[in-house]
Amino acid sequence: MNGKVRLGEFLQTRRSQLQPEDLGIPDYGERRRVQGLRREELASLAGVSVSYYTRLEQGQSLNASPQVLDAIARALRLEEAERLHLHNLARSSATGPGRGRRPAPERVTDATGQLLEALAHVPAIVTGRRSDVLAWNRLGHALFAGHLDPGAPDRPAGRPNMARLVFLDAHTRDLYADWPAKARAVVGNLRLVAGLHPDDTALHALVGELSAKSADFASMWADHRVTACAVATYEMRHPLVGPLTVTQQTLSQGQAQGQGQNIVVATAEADSPARTTLALLAQVTPQHDPARPGIRAGSGSG
């Protein structure tokens, strides 16, 4: 799908999700033929001509200025991550389709491996931009994917992928009490990455696979929601230690979120039942690597 189509679909979908009454637009009792705002209403709110906005939505107008895009973002009530996503889509539309390419295999840097090792007492995993698990420490493996081989991230061809796990793995689906919230966060992040890397063939293949295998994913992907989830709280139902509420924080490594590797850590409030549960998980989880206790670095050249 080229950049013009992605931009048009994003604008059309988000326009359809806005209700006129929420924006103070009277309906005069008329029956509307379109869901959400009309193009002329959105154009008026953004301060652009209807013809210009129509061309932009249809992929016929290139090189929209940042000021116009910001005006449209305000009219669409976009959040900051969504505004940046709009700019990325417009940039991709203006430059035209690039040559699809499969980026070089991702690997964990020495610095990231050291940070993961320093987090030995906190569940932590390292993910690539397409949500492949590049590494995890002992508790990260135990909390997020204890049913999988602890050495899986060391094998680039068979690395776990968190998006696949959330949508296609029954264990992971059961792990989250509010699975839809977790699923929406995963899809929203993939949307953000897709806007940043429109020519990533591996990412397109992942989206195609998930769309074909999961009706839930296909529906959420069509919603065009964009989410940069730096911090989120989830109630988890772990099969070994029971329920616990953790805060998952995503720490970006040297680049803007969505562009590079991230370390995802799970923490719990001091003196909380969840903190006790995490301590119990540490006690019942065996050491995997005698040479580097608690670390599965997955840092081979792959």
Side-chain angles (χ1 to χ4, degrees):
M1 184 183 295
N2 64 43
K4 296 177 183 179
V5 175
R6 284 192 295 266
L7 175 61
E9 285 188 349
F10 178 74
L11 291 173
Q12 292 171 28
T13 302
R14 299 315 301 272
R15 177 168 59 82
S16 71
Q17 293 166 347
L18 282 177
Q19 300 305 314
E21 57 269 24
D22 295 336
L23 301 177
I25 298 176
D27 60 14
Y28 303 109
E30 61 181 321
R31 183 172 182 176
R32 303 176 69 89
R33 293 182 297 174
V34 298
Q35 183 177 2
L37 292 185
R38 300 186 179 99
R39 283 176 178 161
E40 57 266 28
E41 292 169 336
L42 194 285
S44 176
L45 289 171
V48 299
S49 70
V50 178
S51 60
Y52 177 83
Y53 177 77
T54 299
R55 292 196 303 272
L56 187 64
E57 198 171 271
Q58 293 177 343
Q60 298 173 357
S61 179
L62 304 179
N63 300 317
S65 71
Q67 293 78 12
V68 167
L69 293 174
D70 283 342
I72 293 174
R74 288 191 294 270
L76 289 171
R77 303 289 180 90
L78 300 185
E79 296 181 355
E80 179 61 15
E82 296 169 322
R83 184 188 69 83
L84 294 175
H85 182 65
L86 175 61
H87 280 261
N88 290 330
L89 292 178
R91 189 177 304 113
S92 173
S93 175
T95 57
R99 187 170 62 184
R101 60 187 179 86
R102 183 174 291 271
E106 296 175 290
R107 58 179 297 173
V108 176
T109 65
D110 290 340
T112 300
Q114 292 169 14
L115 179 56
L116 187 63
E117 194 166 20
L119 295 170
H121 299 294
V122 179
I125 63 175
V126 181
T127 61
R129 73 186 189 199
R130 293 179 293 273
S131 75
D132 291 326
V133 179
L134 308 181
W136 48 31
N137 63 13
R138 182 172 62 95
L139 282 178
H141 166 252
L143 180 63
F144 293 108
H147 62 304
L148 301 182
D149 177 3
D154 295 330
R155 299 185 291 274
R159 283 172 172 159
N161 177 279
M162 292 308 298
R164 284 195 188 95
L165 290 177
V166 167
F167 281 95
L168 304 179
D169 182 80
H171 172 97
T172 306
R173 191 174 187 123
D174 291 342
L175 192 60
Y176 290 91
D178 187 356
W179 178 84
K182 178 62 178 178
R184 285 191 296 269
V186 169
V187 173
N189 182 69
L190 280 181
R191 270 285 178 198
L192 181 64
V193 176
L196 287 166
H197 303 281
D199 302 322
D200 188 334
T201 57
L203 178 60
H204 293 320
L206 173 65
V207 170
E209 175 193 351
L210 293 175
S211 296
K213 294 181 178 179
S214 170
D216 289 320
F217 179 89
S219 176
M220 293 181 188
W221 187 256
D223 197 42
H224 282 267
R225 294 290 178 181
V226 178
T227 309
C229 290
V231 181
T233 300
Y234 295 105
E235 180 184 345
M236 305 181 77
R237 302 175 297 197
H238 197 276
L240 289 181
V241 294
L244 70 162
T245 300
V246 299
T247 298
Q248 293 184 18
Q249 301 184 56
T250 300
L251 312 176
S252 298
Q253 293 299 290
Q255 301 183 67
Q257 190 167 29
Q259 293 193 36
Q261 296 177 10
N262 298 305
I263 295 183
V264 181
V265 298
T267 59
E269 293 184 7
D271 301 321
S272 67
R275 180 71 68 88
T276 302
T277 302
L278 285 177
L280 176 59
L281 182 63
Q283 292 176 8
V284 301
T285 302
Q287 298 283 348
H288 297 314
D289 189 344
R292 299 179 68 195
I295 299 295
R296 299 301 308 188
S299 56
S301 59

